[in-house]
Amino acid sequence: TDTQQLLRGRRCILLLSWEERYTDGSKWRFLEHKGPVFAPPYEPLPDKVKFYYDGKAMKLSAPAEEVATFFAKMLEHEYTTKDIFRKNFFKDWRKEMTSEEKSKITDLNKCNFSEMSEYFKAQSEARKQMSKEEKLKIKEENEKTLQEYGFCIMDNHKERIGNFRIEPPGLFRGRGDHPKMGMLKRRIRPEDIIINCSKDSKHPKPPPGSKWKEVRHDNKVTWLVSWTENIQGSIKYIMLNPSSRIKGEKDWQKYETARRLKKCVDRIRSQYRDDWKSKEMRIRQRAVALYFIDKLALRAGNEKEEGETADTVGCCSLRVEHIKLYPKIDEQEYVVEFDFLGKDSIRYYNKIPVEKRVFKNLQLFLENKQPEDDLFDRLNTSILNKHLQELMDGLTAKVFRTYNASITLQQQLKELTCPDDSIPAKILSYNRANRAVAILCNHQRAPPKTFEKSMQTLQTKIDEKQNQLSTARKQLKSAKADHKASHDDKSKKAVEVKRKAVQRIEEQLMKLQVQATDREENKQIALGTSKLNYLDPRISVAWCKKWDVSIEKIYNKTQREKFAWAIDMAEEDYEF
Ligand SMILES: *[C@@H]1O[C@H](CO)[C@@H](O)[C@H](O)[C@H]1NC(C)=O
Ligand SMILES: *[C@@H]1O[C@H](CO)[C@@H](O)[C@H](O)[C@H]1NC(C)=O
Ligand SMILES: *[C@@H]1O[C@H](CO)[C@@H](O)[C@H](O)[C@H]1NC(C)=O
Ligand SMILES: *[C@@H]1O[C@H](CO)[C@@H](O)[C@H](O)[C@H]1NC(C)=O
Ligand SMILES: CC(=O)N[C@H]1CO[C@H](CO)[C@@H](O)[C@@H]1O
C-alpha cells in the first residue's frame, strides 16, 4: 500500500539524521522537485447548455462563462441566497465580462443558471455511475501524477510532498458570515508561483509558454512552492508531507526529550521538594509552580500575556481568585480547588489534595493579597522556563505533559487490556486509556450536536440485532429438535449452520454494544489532541503489535502518515 511504500527506509533515515543535522542553521543542502500541479484548464460548456438573461438565451464569452459556472455549481447551496455573497460575486463576475456583456447583464436577479446547474448535476451523477474500468483508469492517472509530482529529493532522501495540487478557481466561501464570501478566488497561473529549490538541482519547468514569477534558493525554509492568494492576500505554501524526515524527526525528538525526563524526574522532584523549604520566596514559588506543572500537567502560561484579549491563564499567571484552600474537606486534608480559564478559554476545574508543605506555602503566598493579585508574584513564565532549562536541556512545561501523558497511557494500557478480550473490546480499552490521558490534559469538548441522534441510530441497530439473535436462537433450537428426531446427516448439518449464524450475530451484537459504550464515554472528551501531540506513538504501535490489533484501528490515514517514523521503528521494550 501507499503507506507501506512511504515507510520503507524510515528507520535508517532516523538513525542517520544526527550526523546530517546542519550546524549553520540551514534546513537542507539539496532540494529538487517538479513544481506544482495546476488545476485543469476551463472546458467551455456544450452549446446545448444555455444561460438565460431576462428570459432570453445568451452565449457568454469563455471567461464570463467560467465564473458563471462557479455560481451555477453552488446554486442549491444556501450561500447563493445570501446578499453579501450575491453582491460580491456579481461585482467580481462583471470584471470578467466583455464590455458588451457588461452593458447587458446588469441585474443578477435576471440571470437564470438553472440549465447549467442541471448539466453539472447530471455530470456528477454520471461520474457516480462510471464503470469499474473507467474508475480504475482515473486511479491509475492519479497514481502517475503522484509518482511524478508527489515526491521531492531533499538531501539524500526521497520525500513525499504534502499538497502538490493547486486548488482550482472558484467562489470564496469563508466561515460564518465572512464579508468576502462570493468573491472570485482566481485561477493560479505559473506567473504567480515562486519556486524554491537548490541551485544545483534540475529546476522545475513551467508549463509551455509560461514563466515562473521567481525561482529562489532559500535553504533556511522548507517550502517548495509559494504564491499569494487573492482573497485575503495570504501566502500559500507547498510543503513536505508530515511523514517527511524533517517533520518526523521533530516529533521524534519531542518524545526522546520526554524519555530523558523520565530518567531525571526523580532528581527534579526531590530538588523542588527541598525548595519548598527555601528561605527565598521566589524559589519557594518556583518550586510550588513546578509541582503543579508536574502533578497537574498545567501549562506554564503565556509569554506574551499583554495583547491577549481572552483572559486565559497558565500556571505562572494564576491569580488569587483562581484557587481556594480547604485545610479539611470531604474527609481529605490540604485540598486545593482550581477554577480558571486555560488555553483556548477551556475551563480548568480540579479539586485535589496536595502535600502539607505545598498547602502551607500556598497560604503564605495568599497573605495580604487581593483576588486579582498574582498568586506567584515573584515568578513569570520566562523565569520558570529558564529554570527548567537548567534542570534539563530542552525541558519545558510541555515536556512534563508529554511525559505524563505517555507514561499514563502505558500504565493504563497495561491495566485495562485483558489478554482474553476480543479485538473490539481491546480497542475499547485503548480508547479508555486514551481518555484517561485526555482528562489529565483537560481536553474537553461540548458534546457534538449530532450526538443524541447518532446514539439513537446505534441503539436502533442494537435492538434489531437483538431481535435477529433471538430469531436465530429459536431456529437453532428447532434445528436441534429436528436432529434429535431424525438423527440424519442433513439435520446435523443444519444444526451446524444455525449454530454458526448465532455465533456470528452474537459477535456483531457485541461489536455494536462496544461501539455504543465507547461513544457514550467519549461524549465530552476530545481524544485527537492528546493522540496527536502528547502520546508517544511508539507506545500505541507496540501495543498494537503485542495484541495483534491492526494499526488502522488506532490511527486514521493522516495520523499514520504523521507517525510513520514510529510505525516503522516500533520497539519491543514496553510492557503491557
Ligand atoms: C430558467 O430557465 C428554465 C429553462 O431553462 C425554465 O424552466 C425556468 O422556469 C427558468 N427560471 C426562471 C426563474 O425564470
Ligand atoms: C501524572 O499526573 C497524574 C495526575 O495528576 C499524577 O497523579 C501522576 O503522579 C503523574 N504521573 C507521573 C508519572 O508523573
Ligand atoms: C520576568 O521577571 C524577570 C525578573 O523579575 C524580569 O527581568 C523579566 O522581564 C520578566 N519577564 C516577563 C516576560 O515579564
Ligand atoms: C483523522 O483524525 C483526526 C482527529 O484526530 C481528524 O481531524 C482527521 O480529519 C482524520 N483524518 C482522516 C483522513 O480521517
Ligand atoms: C530569501 C527569501 O526570500 N527568503 C524568504 C523565504 O520565505 C520565507 C517564508 O517562508 C521568508 O520569510 C523569507 O524572507
Side-chain angles (χ1 to χ4, degrees), residues 269 294-296 403-404 407-408 440:
R269 283 177 180 157
D294 180 21
K295 181 138 173 83
L296 302 175
Y403 161 64
N404 196 328
I407 202 144
T408 304
L440 172 79

Side-chain angles (χ1 to χ4, degrees), residues 458-474 502 505-506 508-510 512-513:
L458 196 52
Q459 193 52 51
T460 315
K461 275 192 198 160
I462 291 176
D463 294 345
E464 278 166 12
K465 220 17 106 188
Q466 251 150 359
N467 289 338
Q468 263 182 38
L469 184 60
S470 57
T471 313
R473 281 190 177 139
K474 272 182 209 141
V502 168
I505 297 170
E506 276 173 350
Q508 289 166 341
L509 179 62
M510 191 266 297
L512 286 171
Q513 280 166 335

Side-chain angles (χ1 to χ4, degrees), residues 199-418:
K199 259 186 203 137
D200 55 348
S201 72
K202 212 190 285 166
H203 295 188
K205 280 200 197 63
S210 63
K211 276 205 303 242
W212 301 125
K213 180 176 178 187
E214 186 189 334
V215 176
R216 66 170 73 151
H217 313 289
D218 183 358
N219 68 359
K220 302 274 190 294
V221 298
T222 51
W223 55 263
L224 283 57
V225 172
S226 87
W227 68 93
T228 306
E229 117 341 285
N230 69 299
I231 305 276
Q232 317 255 48
S234 58
I235 304 177
K236 300 278 197 178
Y237 300 100
I238 291 181
M239 307 244 201
L240 295 186
N241 205 51
S243 71
S244 66
R245 178 177 60 106
I246 285 194
K247 298 212 167 157
E249 193 183 294
K250 235 176 119 193
D251 215 34
W252 171 68
Q253 274 170 356
K254 178 170 91 182
Y255 295 108
E256 286 298 302
T257 310
R259 275 187 168 178
R260 275 196 287 127
L261 175 59
K262 184 176 176 207
K263 291 199 186 113
C264 62
V265 74
D266 289 339
R267 170 175 60 84
I268 292 174
R269 283 177 180 157
S270 74
Q271 184 177 342
Y272 71 57
R273 301 174 76 87
D274 284 346
D275 286 348
W276 293 339
K277 295 174 271 183
S278 167
K279 286 198 196 66
E280 280 186 80
M281 189 59 138
R282 63 176 186 95
I283 291 180
R284 284 193 185 209
Q285 291 194 352
R286 197 179 69 189
V288 170
L290 194 48
Y291 170 75
F292 285 161
I293 284 172
D294 180 21
K295 181 138 173 83
L296 302 175
L298 294 190
R299 290 188 170 80
N302 273 326
E303 291 269 6
K304 41 176 197 302
E305 258 140 348
E306 270 85 34
E308 285 263 328
T309 42
D311 180 26
T312 64
V313 296
C315 185
C316 295
S317 43
L318 280 172
R319 293 191 299 266
V320 173
E321 60 197 340
H322 294 135
I323 68 165
K324 277 206 190 82
L325 303 181
Y326 302 96
K328 192 151 192 223
I329 188 171
D330 308 333
E331 314 275 300
Q332 288 180 309
E333 283 188 306
Y334 310 123
V335 172
V336 185
E337 183 181 49
F338 292 86
D339 192 353
F340 60 90
L341 291 184
K343 186 165 172 252
D344 300 330
S345 295
I346 294 190
R347 183 179 174 204
Y348 182 92
Y349 179 84
N350 202 352
K351 204 170 174 183
I352 56 141
V354 297
E355 301 202 27
K356 183 175 172 190
R357 222 175 261 286
V358 170
F359 195 84
K360 296 282 171 206
N361 268 313
L362 287 170
Q363 284 177 322
L364 183 67
F365 303 161
L366 291 181
E367 266 172 25
N368 301 322
K369 280 191 193 164
Q370 299 300 311
E372 64 280 5
D373 288 344
D374 284 336
L375 172 65
F376 301 117
D377 51 295
R378 307 286 173 86
L379 186 68
N380 61 32
T381 318
S382 39
I383 298 176
L384 185 73
N385 282 336
K386 195 162 155 273
H387 178 60
L388 290 173
Q389 274 304 316
E390 287 160 5
L391 290 172
M392 186 191 101
D393 184 32
L395 186 61
T396 61
K398 206 169 163 176
V399 181
F400 280 96
R401 278 169 92 77
T402 311
Y403 161 64
N404 196 328
S406 293
I407 202 144
T408 304
L409 178 74
Q410 190 184 337
Q411 285 161 352
Q412 290 287 312
L413 285 176
K414 194 173 167 186
E415 224 170 281
L416 298 174
T417 320
C418 302

